[in-house]
Amino acid sequence: MSATGIVNSKNVREEIENLKNQNKFGAGWQDLVAYLNNSNAAGLNPPSWKSMGANGHYGLHFTAGESAFATFHILHDYKVGTLAYPHVHFLVNIALTAGDTITWLLSYTIARGHHQGESLTGTRSTISMTYTADGTEVAGEHLILECSDAQAIDLLETDSLVIMEVEMDAASVTGTEEIFGLMVDLHYQSDGTLTKEKAPGFTKNV
């Protein structure tokens, strides 16, 4: 496996409060987001910062075996006992042909915080996900690849951390392609409430 810079997950507390003030916030799905274009190139096999096309946008260009890292902090609206679904947002700079494949590996550790004896440097779990083109994909299309139910992650509790390596493992694409990783995020279930405490044990404002 390779290594590169760390990027922190987006802090959505302010967005949550804004939605609550507008009476639009309730239980449902939320996203924890790590923007890969914020990564600093480092390590053995980092992706390269490269132009994505004629419009002037730049992003992280991945070839097989190159990877970036993401860190996710679990927020206070997380519904304990539910599973989160990691997924990758990416694009390919050419139109795809039916049967073309792109495989991403997500290797991660997770640990509770607040001195509970759990390590982030132990054995990693790995999720392998393959995108198979149907032939309708246009050049530069925003593509999303999400893990299966069997691969979903228990986020444990508020203030847990997930450290994740995001690797473009392999691509079998017709033509000369360039693949850009845009972001990785976790679809997680929110119960629509925040905790009363800053540290365990967490109870909800209900």
Side-chain angles (χ1 to χ4, degrees):
M1 292 293 182
S2 53
T4 188
I6 300 296
V7 62
N8 291 323
S9 62
K10 182 180 180 184
N11 187 334
V12 298
R13 288 188 179 90
E14 183 175 346
E15 294 179 21
I16 291 170
E17 289 302 317
N18 288 338
L19 290 170
K20 289 180 70 177
N21 292 336
Q22 298 171 43
N23 295 317
K24 294 181 180 179
F25 182 71
W29 289 98
Q30 286 277 13
D31 280 306
L32 278 176
V33 182
Y35 299 96
L36 296 179
N37 61 2
N38 289 341
S39 293
N40 295 315
L44 297 177
N45 294 300
S48 57
W49 189 244
K50 190 172 183 179
S51 172
M52 295 193 292
N55 68 0
H57 290 324
Y58 275 69
L60 281 184
H61 173 246
F62 287 76
T63 61
E66 294 181 343
S67 64
F69 276 84
T71 302
F72 300 94
H73 169 243
I74 309 310
L75 302 180
H76 287 254
D77 67 320
Y78 168 60
K79 185 176 181 180
V80 174
T82 61
L83 299 178
Y85 291 74
H87 53 287
V88 178
H89 296 250
F90 66 102
L91 66 82
V92 185
N93 71 333
I94 62 172
L96 296 179
T97 300
D100 287 349
T101 59
I102 300 166
T103 299
W104 294 88
L105 299 180
L106 307 178
S107 300
Y108 68 92
T109 56
I110 183 170
R112 295 176 176 89
H114 303 282
H115 193 45
Q116 297 187 66
E118 298 186 3
S119 174
L120 288 165
T121 60
T123 302
R124 304 192 303 180
S125 300
T126 298
I127 297 170
S128 178
M129 309 184 298
T130 298
Y131 182 89
T132 302
D134 62 13
T136 65
E137 296 86 353
V138 300
E141 183 170 340
H142 173 200
L143 302 174
I144 301 175
L145 179 62
E146 184 166 270
C147 77
S148 67
D149 290 341
Q151 296 169 318
I153 301 173
D154 186 339
L155 299 181
L156 304 179
E157 69 179 22
T158 293
D159 285 344
S160 296
L161 281 185
V162 179
I163 297 178
M164 179 179 290
E165 182 182 19
V166 182
E167 178 181 351
M168 205 286 285
D169 180 56
S172 178
V173 175
T174 304
T176 304
E177 90 291 347
E178 292 187 328
I179 298 168
F180 293 86
L182 305 175
M183 63 203 313
V184 60
D185 48 311
L186 308 178
H187 277 147
Y188 75 96
Q189 291 191 53
S190 166
D191 60 15
T193 60
L194 304 179
T195 63
K196 296 178 181 178
E197 300 85 12
K198 294 185 292 183
F202 297 107
T203 58
K204 292 288 186 170
N205 287 309
V206 294

